[in-house]
Amino acid sequence: GINAEYGGGDPYMFVGNSGWDGYTRALVDFDVSTLDGNLELNTEDTSVYLRLWYDGSTMGKPYNDPKQMDRHLVAHQVITQWEEDSATNKYSSTSGTDKIEWSSSMMGAKEDYSEDKESEVYISESEGPMDVWFNLTYLFTDWVNGTSSDMGVVIKDSLHEKIPGYFLKFGSNDNPDETMRPYFWTCQKKATCEPVDAEPQYVKDNYGCVSVANVTLNNCVAKNGPCPDEDGMTALSDLEGYVYGTTAMWDEFHEMQSECKCCVESETELMDIPMDCSAVDGKSDYTNQEIKYIKECQCQKCSIVSKKRKKRSAPSKTRLLLRSALKSILRK
């Protein structure tokens, strides 16, 4: 039969053949619609893997002469819409009260899944529980970029599918042990903080003078993810984008917390911008040298700028006044 994943309710997916139960395949799909199409992978061919937990082999109904054998598993792109609660060996989905069938039983090559092999994995007959990795980099890239519909993959035994033996058992998304559930592993390029040029534009000063020509300004931008903090985790100030500027506040433990300027300039140079002041009375043309062009950016770390304060006895009036003044400053 067909094992639909995410769903099905079963803690395991099965691939192979177990005698009276016949042969079976597994369907796996992930929602990649929320991922950024500009995601930069470390390499174009070996950066995204579907990880399945192989929990060993198992037999379905008793069989007289089950064969344990090496299995050659292949992942194929699914090209027919299916539903996790409806997919079986015969049906792919439902429409109202109608059941929609695959082009043929157990899914048809070319019609329901691509004949091209996306990835191959060998599991020997003596193999114990382990992680199994299917390289889906090209397919994942097509899904994220919208050049191919994301309907997941079907995993099947390409050599011994119809030979009675044992099922290979893999953890499903309904497995109570979260470490056994399927997931995508992606290797992205290292986060960087770089100057990025804006569209050239005219510059106007406070007097009303305008640059003679378009000027290219730039800004620091965090790429491939936000700047990390000292532990390699996402900084607090990055949770809602790449924040520029710094803030400080007393937290619930009475520690002074300072959020980082996550991606800021570290080296700049003043530009020479000829200014046209013909439309301004009493102002001559001049060269503006007050605008900076960013040459280099860097990630600044988040840090705690004070230690936890020890509990004191009743504070003095002077201390209370200072504390009140500090809070007023922080609110501004």
Side-chain angles (χ1 to χ4, degrees):
I2 295 289
N3 298 268
E5 180 60 27
Y6 309 72
D10 197 303
Y12 292 99
M13 301 181 292
F14 302 92
V15 178
N17 193 316
S18 182
W20 297 114
D21 287 328
Y23 63 99
T24 187
R25 299 170 177 175
L27 283 167
V28 184
D29 190 18
F30 289 85
D31 181 8
V32 299
S33 61
T34 60
L35 298 179
D36 185 358
N38 296 319
L39 181 72
E40 293 191 58
L41 300 177
N42 193 44
T43 63
E44 63 179 16
D45 56 352
T46 57
S47 291
V48 182
Y49 289 82
L50 168 62
R51 175 270 195 185
L52 298 180
W53 173 255
Y54 172 60
D55 206 40
S57 59
T58 186
M59 187 167 58
K61 295 178 182 179
Y63 191 70
N64 293 335
D65 186 24
K67 299 179 184 298
Q68 178 67 294
M69 62 192 75
D70 295 348
R71 296 287 185 177
H72 176 213
L73 304 187
V74 177
H76 296 269
Q77 179 186 5
V78 178
I79 54 179
T80 293
Q81 193 70 45
W82 58 278
E83 298 171 351
E84 58 183 289
D85 295 326
S86 305
T88 64
N89 62 325
K90 185 177 181 180
Y91 301 107
S92 62
S93 57
T94 58
S95 178
T97 58
D98 297 328
K99 294 184 177 181
I100 311 302
E101 296 185 4
W102 299 107
S103 64
S104 60
S105 181
M106 293 296 291
M107 305 177 66
K110 294 185 180 179
E111 292 84 8
D112 297 317
Y113 65 88
S114 170
E115 289 187 306
D116 296 334
K117 299 176 181 178
E118 292 295 335
S119 185
E120 305 174 65
V121 171
Y122 290 88
I123 299 182
S124 68
E125 60 177 296
S126 59
E127 206 77 64
M130 63 177 182
D131 288 323
V132 173
W133 304 90
F134 291 90
N135 183 356
L136 300 182
T137 307
Y138 289 122
L139 187 54
F140 177 87
T141 302
D142 289 344
W143 288 341
V144 172
N145 293 334
T147 57
S148 175
S149 297
D150 172 17
M151 298 177 190
V153 294
V154 59
I155 298 171
K156 57 190 288 285
D157 184 343
S158 67
L159 292 181
H160 308 299
E161 188 171 58
K162 296 186 179 181
I163 300 177
Y166 288 80
F167 287 137
L168 302 185
K169 186 168 63 172
F170 298 91
S172 79
N173 197 60
D174 294 300
N175 197 291
D177 185 346
E178 293 184 2
T179 65
M180 297 174 65
R181 297 174 185 173
Y183 62 79
F184 264 139
W185 180 90
T186 61
C187 182
Q188 302 177 41
K189 288 184 178 179
K190 185 178 180 180
T192 59
C193 175
E194 304 172 8
V196 175
D197 288 345
E199 289 292 326
Q201 59 185 338
Y202 286 100
V203 173
K204 190 174 183 179
D205 67 11
N206 294 330
Y207 303 102
C209 301
V210 181
S211 59
V212 174
N214 281 330
V215 178
T216 299
L217 305 177
N218 63 356
N219 194 20
C220 289
V221 176
K223 296 184 176 182
N224 307 318
C227 291
D229 64 15
E230 293 178 353
D231 297 323
M233 303 298 290
T234 300
L236 290 175
S237 56
D238 288 322
L239 294 180
E240 296 182 0
Y242 309 123
V243 179
Y244 182 93
T246 184
T247 59
M249 60 180 292
W250 294 110
D251 68 10
E252 59 181 316
F253 301 108
H254 299 289
E255 290 182 353
M256 180 69 85
Q257 299 280 353
S258 175
E259 295 184 2
C260 62
K261 298 178 181 179
C262 36
C263 182
V264 296
E265 66 267 20
S266 57
E267 182 180 348
T268 62
E269 64 179 6
L270 292 174
M271 305 171 69
D272 292 329
I273 304 175
M275 303 295 291
D276 177 10
C277 300
S278 58
V280 182
D281 293 337
K283 184 68 175 177
S284 301
D285 295 348
Y286 74 103
T287 299
N288 189 328
Q289 294 181 318
E290 296 180 352
I291 297 179
K292 296 178 180 180
Y293 185 79
I294 301 171
K295 298 183 65 178
E296 187 175 297
C297 302
Q298 70 177 15
C299 291
Q300 291 189 352
K301 309 299 181 183
C302 290
S303 60
I304 297 174
V305 296
S306 74
K307 298 295 183 182
K308 187 173 181 180
R309 299 187 299 173
K310 294 181 179 179
K311 191 173 182 179
R312 302 188 184 99
S313 55
S316 66
K317 289 184 178 180
T318 302
R319 188 176 297 130
L320 285 172
L321 289 172
L322 288 173
R323 188 183 304 171
S324 177
L326 177 59
K327 288 183 178 179
S328 297
I329 291 172
L330 292 174
R331 290 193 194 102
K332 294 179 180 179

